[in-house]
Amino acid sequence: MEPIILLICLAGLIVGSITDLKTREVPDWINYSLMFAGFGIAIIYTIINQNFQYLIESIIGFGFFFAIALVMYYTGQWGGGDSKMIMGLGALIGITWPITSWFNIDFYTNGFPFLLNFLIYSIVVGATYGLLWSSVLAIINRKKLIKEFKRLLKTKKIIFYKKILIAILIVGIISQIFVDKNFKIFILTMIMILGITFYLFIYIKSIEKVCMLKMVSPEKLTIGDWIADDVKINGKIICGPDDLGIEEDQIKKLIELKKKGKIKEILIKEGIPFVPSFLIAFLITLFFGSKLFLHFL
């Protein structure tokens, strides 16, 4: 990587990590600065070298992470700040073009392109980071968590799903009589995965309820905050979970409603600050490249 691009990426990730840890927010000026810097540097390189490949690679890098960011944002895994951060990094780093040139590379010798390495490490580090973060929250709030876990197990919806799970388990056990050895292992593995996923879902919901929900005044809301419950006034929904992030006009409306005495506080969901995981993944990519995961292939 070019030193100037490396420094800009590191600066953005460090500042973004600090603000994300402190406030659960990544200021737009950081993310948009990364995007403008990425496209700006690409344009300068294109003009100097009279080669559009630099700009094309920047646009493709941005577009690649834009698609990933959309999926993660609309599935509720990342907030708006996390999504914009990754898009800015995509514009800065870029993806080698044409992609067909990848097929002429010996990956075991030269490794994957930087952005692809970063994506792979981001997935692994992000999953590990999220699990550790939620585990720490679970330990700190273990008494409330256990109580909420037990409460959820008694809800009608969970009891219904539990009956389905038991029915699948019974069918799986009976099927062992009629299938060969290899298929027996497959069926038991799938049942085990299904059971783990079921209780993991309840565990995650318990953590969310106990550790990630809080009441805030409308004045303290920021654009992109996740609203946990519908806010209704005279039967009209002002904002809610379906918004996938509150907007500026909704915040203004809520502030006006508070001044009129119609609402006091809003229940929001605090997500896990994921930008630090991007920083860790970036540093691993920088120092190790493809070596770590190619070692296991």
Side-chain angles (χ1 to χ4, degrees):
M1 290 181 66
E2 292 288 342
I4 187 171
I5 295 177
L6 169 63
L7 291 174
I8 293 172
C9 288
L10 280 175
L13 284 166
I14 291 171
V15 176
S17 296
I18 293 171
T19 59
D20 202 15
L21 288 169
K22 283 186 174 182
T23 66
R24 297 294 195 278
E25 297 290 340
V26 183
D28 278 342
W29 68 264
I30 296 176
N31 297 323
Y32 289 129
S33 294
L34 292 177
M35 294 180 199
F36 289 133
F39 291 130
I41 292 172
I43 290 172
I44 292 172
Y45 278 23
T46 295
I47 293 172
I48 292 175
N49 295 282
Q50 296 183 355
N51 187 344
F52 279 98
Q53 183 171 346
Y54 297 98
L55 183 57
I56 292 172
E57 290 179 353
S58 180
I59 293 172
I60 293 175
F62 173 83
F64 180 67
F65 271 146
F66 176 76
I68 293 173
L70 280 181
V71 172
M72 298 301 285
Y73 178 75
Y74 283 107
T75 55
Q77 302 303 308
W78 290 349
D82 304 327
S83 302
K84 292 173 187 174
M85 171 67 74
I86 209 76
M87 288 155 56
L89 293 173
L92 268 165
I93 300 170
I95 291 183
T96 305
W97 182 262
I99 295 178
T100 51
S101 65
W102 295 9
F103 300 112
N104 299 321
I105 298 175
D106 182 355
F107 290 125
Y108 282 93
T109 302
N110 301 297
F112 293 111
F114 191 96
L115 199 65
L116 188 56
N117 286 331
F118 175 64
L119 175 62
I120 293 170
Y121 288 127
S122 291
I123 294 170
V124 176
V125 172
T128 306
Y129 175 87
L131 180 61
L132 290 174
W133 188 278
S134 60
S135 297
V136 171
L137 290 177
I139 293 170
I140 294 173
N141 300 278
R142 57 188 177 278
K143 291 183 179 180
K144 292 181 179 179
L145 182 67
I146 292 171
K147 185 178 179 180
E148 178 62 19
F149 190 88
K150 290 179 179 178
R151 186 194 70 79
L152 285 176
L153 282 174
K154 295 177 182 178
T155 59
K156 290 183 179 180
K157 184 182 288 187
I158 296 300
I159 290 174
F160 174 73
Y161 290 142
K162 192 174 181 179
K163 288 179 180 178
I164 294 176
L165 184 63
I166 292 172
I168 293 173
L169 176 61
I170 293 172
V171 171
I173 293 172
I174 295 174
S175 68
Q176 299 295 298
I177 303 171
F178 307 101
V179 299
D180 60 36
K181 182 179 179 181
N182 291 330
F183 207 61
K184 284 181 181 180
I185 296 173
F186 172 76
I187 291 173
L188 290 175
T189 301
M190 294 305 295
I191 291 174
M192 182 178 67
I193 292 173
L194 188 62
I196 292 172
T197 303
F198 174 75
Y199 285 101
L200 184 61
F201 172 78
I202 301 174
Y203 166 74
I204 293 171
K205 284 295 181 183
S206 300
I207 289 180
E208 181 181 300
K209 178 72 173 179
V210 172
C211 310
M212 296 184 178
L213 298 180
K214 72 173 185 177
M215 301 294 293
V216 299
S217 174
E219 294 88 352
K220 294 184 179 180
L221 290 170
T222 57
I223 297 172
D225 279 344
W226 291 339
I227 308 301
D229 283 333
D230 286 332
V231 179
K232 293 183 179 180
I233 301 295
N234 299 324
K236 182 181 179 181
I237 298 177
I238 308 300
C239 59
D242 292 339
D243 293 331
L244 290 174
I246 194 168
E247 298 179 359
E248 186 177 3
D249 59 336
Q250 292 173 313
I251 295 175
K252 290 179 179 178
K253 181 67 174 178
L254 292 173
I255 293 173
E256 290 176 7
L257 290 170
K258 183 184 178 183
K259 289 178 180 178
K260 295 177 181 178
K262 294 185 177 181
I263 59 171
K264 289 184 179 181
E265 292 183 316
I266 309 298
L267 185 66
I268 67 169
K269 176 185 173 183
E270 279 192 317
I272 295 174
F274 260 105
V275 174
S277 71
F278 297 156
L279 174 60
I280 296 170
F282 187 87
L283 291 173
I284 294 175
T285 305
L286 185 63
F287 289 110
F288 296 99
S290 306
K291 294 178 182 177
L292 290 183
F293 58 82
L294 283 180
H295 176 73
F296 296 100
L297 297 180

